Amino acid sequence: MNKSTLVSAIIMLSVGIGVGYVLFGNEMDSTENSANTQQSQVVTTGKEQPLFYRNAMNPSVTSPVPSKDSMGMDYVPVYAGESDSEAVLGTVQIDPVVVQNIGVRTSFAKRESMSRTIRASARVDFDEQNMARLHPKIEGWIEAVKVDKTGEKVEKNDVLVSIYSPKLVSTQQEYLLALNSLKSLQNSPFEDVRHGAKEMVESARERLVLLGVAEHQIDELEKTRKIKKQLHIHTPVEGTVIRIGSRQGQYVTPKTELYMVVDLSQVWVYADVYEYELPWIKVGDEVEMTLASVPSKTFAGRLAYIYPYAQSKTRTTQVRIIFDNPKQLLRPDMFAEVIIHSDVIENAVVIPAQAVIRSGERSQVFVVSAPGKFEPRLVTLGIESNGTVAVISGLAAGEEVVTSAQFMVDSESSLREATEKMLEQLQKQNSDETKMPAMDMPSVNDVKPKEQ
């Protein structure tokens, strides 16, 4: 290569470099400037642009540009970074301005004591343990009625009626004969005879006792040796005569109820408690009762028994309360109002009851995990009282939960959860298709011509 040819090549290379710079230099500068501009915009705005905007009331309605619904509420911006794989499924992120517009209110879960006052209607009744129904043990006729009016008070062992019974007369005669026989044979030299006489006396006396003859009547018969025509019926308890079942001259049998006597120094009160209040009460709880007939007095009692079955018509469970009644101001069949004071539950995690979304199968709350970010959380609830509910599991004290407009948040969360599940399913299908091995197809060379 001569000198002139080398000089010509250098000149042509220099011209090419210059032309390339003129053609592509400006384009590279503009691209760099554009990138710098976009970067500065991202830094200035602080977050990326929304993908689209969604109606807060109807999440299925979207718009590519900012808009307002018929109520004048702004559409909610949806960003690409909201569907973070590390976030809890169904987590919702809402602009703080929108949170304020839709009225989202929150409250903190806290530990405190819970108690409940159960109010119920009640009815006063007799104490079943202090009731006596008197029946004669023999057949006969009423000779005399000592207590002939209901409502009278009687003392224990008072005589109520006198009954004439032929069987009672014959039994007394047998007893007197046995006594006379024993007296005549007690000096017999034969031990068997003496023993037989004693057994006859004991047997006759036992028959009198079984017929209902009082001990003092038997003792009187032994002393006087005179047969009593009448048998006295005594009251076994102190109380009030509620019912009289016989009158003078009436023929009675063991089936006849002569009297019903009840001790009213203590009464039972029955109250009906609803099913949702049953977890609060237990045997031994203190109870207060008021009556319209005694407006200035409050009676104190205790819960004695909770019946193991519910009332089919009212869907309530009956409880029994015991009250002392020394002045007998409490009368059976009176209506009353009772207040059952349940025990205090200490150190329970408590949230407002309106924060819970109950779907029948589960209970859910929305926890504020970050400003404008709401995470769905399943919780197990305990007892409820005065607008608050105890949380057994799923929530800790100090966490913030949504207490109003949570149904709007729930609809957005449900739509977001369904969308994320659909995307995960699509990604799984695409991944499975990618992993499928390609089928081996026979090449042309492998195909052998069919032999003729």
Side-chain angles (χ1 to χ4, degrees):
M1 182 181 295
N2 54 19
K3 184 176 183 182
S4 60
T5 303
L6 181 59
V7 173
S8 299
I10 293 174
I11 293 173
M12 292 178 65
L13 180 60
S14 301
V15 173
I17 293 174
V19 172
Y21 178 79
V22 172
L23 293 177
F24 300 102
N26 294 334
E27 184 177 353
M28 294 175 61
D29 292 340
S30 62
T31 302
E32 183 178 359
N33 293 333
S34 176
N36 293 335
T37 303
Q38 293 179 0
Q39 184 177 0
S40 62
Q41 290 179 352
V42 173
V43 173
T44 303
T45 58
K47 60 182 179 180
E48 59 185 345
Q49 295 298 319
L51 297 178
F52 57 90
Y53 298 83
R54 177 179 292 137
N55 190 332
M57 302 297 294
N58 187 1
S60 62
V61 178
T62 61
S63 172
V65 295
S67 182
K68 294 180 179 292
D69 60 9
S70 59
M71 300 176 61
M73 297 176 60
D74 293 331
Y75 276 32
V76 181
V78 179
Y79 300 94
E82 288 184 352
S83 58
D84 189 1
S85 60
E86 297 181 358
V88 177
L89 192 63
T91 300
V92 181
Q93 186 169 358
I94 304 176
D95 188 88
V97 177
V98 178
V99 171
Q100 182 68 25
N101 290 339
I102 64 177
V104 175
R105 298 291 181 267
T106 61
S107 178
F108 289 93
K110 52 187 177 181
R111 290 191 177 275
E112 61 180 25
S113 301
M114 293 187 69
S115 63
R116 188 180 182 92
T117 299
I118 294 121
R119 300 178 180 270
S121 299
R123 178 179 57 86
V124 182
D125 207 340
F126 302 110
D127 185 346
E128 295 177 0
Q129 295 177 335
N130 294 326
M131 297 176 62
R133 298 176 183 269
L134 304 181
H135 291 254
K137 297 180 180 180
I138 57 175
E139 298 177 353
W141 289 264
I142 302 295
E143 289 285 330
V145 179
K146 303 297 183 181
V147 178
D148 58 355
K149 293 183 289 295
T150 59
E152 286 192 33
K153 293 183 179 179
V154 294
E155 300 293 333
K156 187 175 181 180
N157 292 324
D158 280 355
V159 177
L160 300 177
V161 295
S162 297
I163 299 178
Y164 163 69
S165 172
K167 184 177 182 179
L168 177 63
V169 173
S170 62
T171 306
Q172 291 181 82
Q173 291 175 343
E174 291 176 1
Y175 184 57
L176 290 179
L177 291 174
L179 289 175
N180 293 333
S181 176
L182 177 63
K183 184 177 180 181
S184 62
L185 297 176
Q186 62 182 357
N187 296 323
S188 172
F190 302 101
E191 182 178 355
D192 293 340
V193 173
R194 297 194 304 270
H195 182 70
K198 290 181 180 179
E199 286 185 346
M200 288 180 61
V201 171
E202 293 176 356
S203 176
R205 183 184 179 90
E206 184 68 20
R207 283 196 299 271
L208 288 174
V209 172
L210 295 176
L211 290 176
V213 180
E215 290 288 342
H216 71 89
Q217 287 184 289
I218 299 176
D219 294 339
E220 186 178 356
L221 178 63
E222 291 178 358
K223 293 178 181 179
T224 62
R225 299 301 174 101
K226 293 182 179 180
I227 296 175
K228 294 291 184 179
K229 181 182 176 182
Q230 298 175 349
L231 169 67
H232 295 160
I233 302 296
H234 298 259
T235 172
V237 294
E238 175 186 356
T240 303
V241 176
I242 301 300
R243 185 165 56 247
I244 300 177
S246 62
R247 292 298 175 179
Q248 187 171 355
Q250 181 178 345
Y251 178 77
V252 296
T253 67
K255 294 182 179 180
T256 306
E257 183 181 280
L258 301 178
Y259 287 90
M260 177 178 176
V261 182
V262 178
D263 183 6
L264 296 177
S265 62
Q266 190 176 77
V267 295
W268 287 358
V269 175
Y270 296 98
D272 295 326
V273 178
Y274 289 102
E275 294 179 353
Y276 66 89
E277 294 176 325
L278 283 177
W280 285 95
I281 64 174
K282 69 177 189 332
V283 173
D285 285 343
E286 296 181 356
V287 183
E288 293 182 356
M289 181 175 66
T290 57
L291 297 94
S293 60
V294 194
S296 60
K297 184 174 178 57
T298 300
F299 298 87
R302 60 179 179 84
L303 198 154
Y305 187 69
I306 302 173
Y307 285 83
Y309 51 84
Q311 306 292 329
S312 59
K313 294 182 179 180
T314 60
R315 308 310 306 164
T316 56
T317 296
Q318 195 174 69
V319 298
R320 186 174 68 225
I321 309 164
I322 296 179
F323 288 90
D324 291 330
N325 189 28
K327 298 182 179 180
Q328 297 193 2
L329 297 176
L330 303 177
R331 296 176 173 86
D333 291 329
M334 275 185 168
F335 288 101
E337 296 290 332
V338 297
I339 300 176
I340 304 175
H341 298 284
S342 63
D343 287 343
V344 178
I345 299 177
E346 302 288 350
N347 203 26
V349 178
V350 178
I351 61 174
Q354 65 266 26
V356 183
I357 301 176
R358 296 176 172 89
S359 62
E361 298 180 354
R362 61 183 184 178
S363 298
Q364 177 179 282
V365 297
F366 279 92
V367 181
V368 181
S369 58
K373 196 170 185 179
F374 306 98
E375 172 190 325
R377 186 86 60 81
L378 295 178
V379 292
T380 302
L381 303 179
I383 54 182
E384 186 172 344
S385 173
N386 299 326
T388 60
V389 61
V391 179
I392 299 176
S393 63
L395 195 67
E399 291 190 285
E400 189 177 6
V401 296
V402 178
T403 59
S404 65
Q406 64 267 46
F407 289 100
M408 298 182 185
V409 179
D410 182 50
S411 62
E412 173 70 18
S413 174
S414 299
L415 182 61
R416 181 68 56 82
E417 181 179 355
T419 303
E420 292 180 358
K421 287 182 178 179
M422 181 181 66
L423 292 176
E424 290 180 0
Q425 188 66 21
L426 292 175
Q427 291 177 358
K428 183 178 180 181
Q429 291 179 358
N430 294 335
S431 176
D432 293 342
E433 291 177 358
T434 304
K435 293 179 180 180
M436 288 180 61
M439 296 180 62
D440 295 334
M441 300 297 294
S443 61
V444 178
N445 297 329
D446 293 337
V447 178
K448 295 182 178 179
K450 186 176 180 180
E451 295 181 359
Q452 297 296 330

